[in-house]
Amino acid sequence: MGKDLKGKELGVGIVQQANGLYVARFTDKHGRRQSKRFKKLQECRQWIADATYIDEHTDIENATDMLVDAWFEYWISVKKKTVRPNTVRNYTERYERNIKAVIGKKLLTEVKPIHCQKIFSDMADDGYRTTTIYQTRIALYNMLEFAKENDVIINNPCKKSVKSDMGKPSDKKEALTIETQKKFLEGATGQSYENQYRFILQTGLRTGELVGLKWEDIDFESKTLTIQRSMEFRYKVGEWRVGPPKSKSGYRTIPLTDEAIRILKAQKEKNRKIKVIPMEWSEQVFLCRKGEPVKNSTYDTALFKICDKVGIKRFSMHVLRHTFATRCIEGGMMPKTLQKILGHSNIGITMNLYVHITEEEKLKEINLVAEALKVV
């Protein structure tokens, strides 16, 4: 039992130093000495209680006696080897921000549907959007399903009866009308990233695919473009991250229109005028005036300014991709062809675009025959 400066018993593993600070110490199950200093005795006691409890319940050999926090660390370590970095980041963010506070310190076997429901209900109360709550559900369900598949728990408590379709409705991403698209392109003419915006409207690329595009991916002779990577700037670590496309179907070859070829040639000429291009970026297609790739978020920021200038509602880069898809559908492209060009992993995602367009087309068609239907 440790003592304070007045000789009072403080509890096992806690002592008070001459400078007044309280120190908690214990030896973990691996034989490592753990210690931490605190100004307040209560905080010191809480830390050693939590730390020793977690230490006792983090043994993968006895997974049925593990805390959810420990199980998450194990599960995400496996995920890091099997899924894209973006997916790992999204799972981790949702766990740290929304799941951990509710069930992190519970035993994995003690998690019930009511606890899962509380995670989503709390998020709704905090003003989260429905899409974010759904993403949290995916992370939670997958983590618990992994425990079920490994016989750590009998059933997955994140079951159908647990409702997550709550929270603020997400903004509907609608394609630009032809009139709005023309206004936007007029405003983009002469702007720094004009070529990039026009190119997405000709190819439907995702922003990360656009950023990661290299000249070796372009075949001017066959007029095709091959997608084999995605790239984004990670502000948290201050560096560029290059990875695979969003899914296996993201690896694809896209036929290029004459307009797309014209844009690429214009960009090539623009790059020639850049004074200094670092060797690591010499093969990138789209560069800023500093000879470096343009950060993903910078495209949106510049895009908003163009919208404000021409007096149209602000939209994101993804809407340009959505607009490309809409123009393709309006032009009569078959669903399967569009799926391949967009790199959708599921035809259902593509068909959702068709449903939206079909509803508009039905309205147009009925208006055309409205007079003929008038029988008085």
Side-chain angles (χ1 to χ4, degrees), residues 170-360:
S170 301
D171 293 333
K172 191 176 180 182
K173 288 185 173 65
E174 294 185 352
L176 303 179
T177 63
I178 292 176
E179 182 182 348
T180 304
Q181 184 177 341
K182 285 180 178 177
K183 278 187 179 180
F184 170 72
L185 289 175
E186 285 172 9
T189 301
Q191 298 297 313
S192 299
Y193 312 129
E194 176 189 356
N195 288 340
Q196 288 93 314
Y197 298 141
R198 290 184 181 274
F199 195 69
I200 292 181
L201 287 167
Q202 291 295 314
T203 59
L205 297 190
R206 299 179 176 93
T207 307
E209 295 168 346
L210 178 88
V211 176
L213 201 61
K214 293 185 177 183
W215 290 112
E216 66 187 44
D217 304 325
I218 314 294
D219 188 330
F220 284 98
E221 191 173 327
S222 64
K223 295 173 67 173
T224 58
L225 174 159
T226 300
I227 297 297
Q228 47 194 343
R229 77 189 68 77
S230 183
M231 191 167 112
E232 68 173 338
F233 188 78
R234 298 303 307 140
Y235 286 92
K236 205 167 186 179
V237 292
E239 63 182 33
W240 287 97
R241 289 281 173 85
V242 180
K246 190 173 183 180
S247 62
K248 287 182 180 178
S249 53
Y251 289 97
R252 63 200 189 278
T253 297
I254 300 171
L256 296 173
T257 62
D258 289 340
E259 174 63 7
I261 293 292
R262 183 200 68 76
I263 293 167
L264 286 170
K265 289 179 177 178
Q267 184 64 32
K268 191 176 269 285
E269 186 58 34
K270 187 176 180 180
N271 288 358
R272 285 197 189 103
K273 296 177 183 178
I274 298 174
K275 292 181 179 179
V276 179
I277 300 179
M279 278 298 295
E280 62 179 318
W281 307 126
S282 60
E283 278 299 307
Q284 301 297 132
V285 174
F286 295 106
L287 300 171
C288 67
R289 62 178 181 272
K290 294 180 181 178
E292 302 171 352
V294 181
K295 296 179 178 68
N296 307 53
S297 59
T298 302
Y299 281 125
D300 277 324
T301 302
L303 192 152
F304 294 158
K305 290 180 180 178
I306 294 172
C307 292
D308 294 345
K309 184 178 75 172
V310 299
I312 59 177
K313 184 181 177 181
R314 288 185 174 188
F315 59 87
S316 67
M317 283 283 281
H318 187 77
V319 170
L320 295 180
R321 172 175 158 87
H322 191 39
T323 300
F324 161 81
T326 301
R327 297 290 94 87
C328 287
I329 296 168
E330 291 170 347
M333 185 178 285
M334 297 298 289
K336 201 65 181 175
T337 304
L338 184 58
Q339 180 194 359
K340 296 292 183 183
I341 289 175
L342 292 174
H344 283 161
S345 57
N346 189 324
I347 187 66
I349 301 171
T350 315
M351 289 308 298
N352 283 337
L353 298 172
Y354 273 85
V355 170
H356 175 67
I357 295 298
T358 303
E359 292 301 319
E360 289 186 352

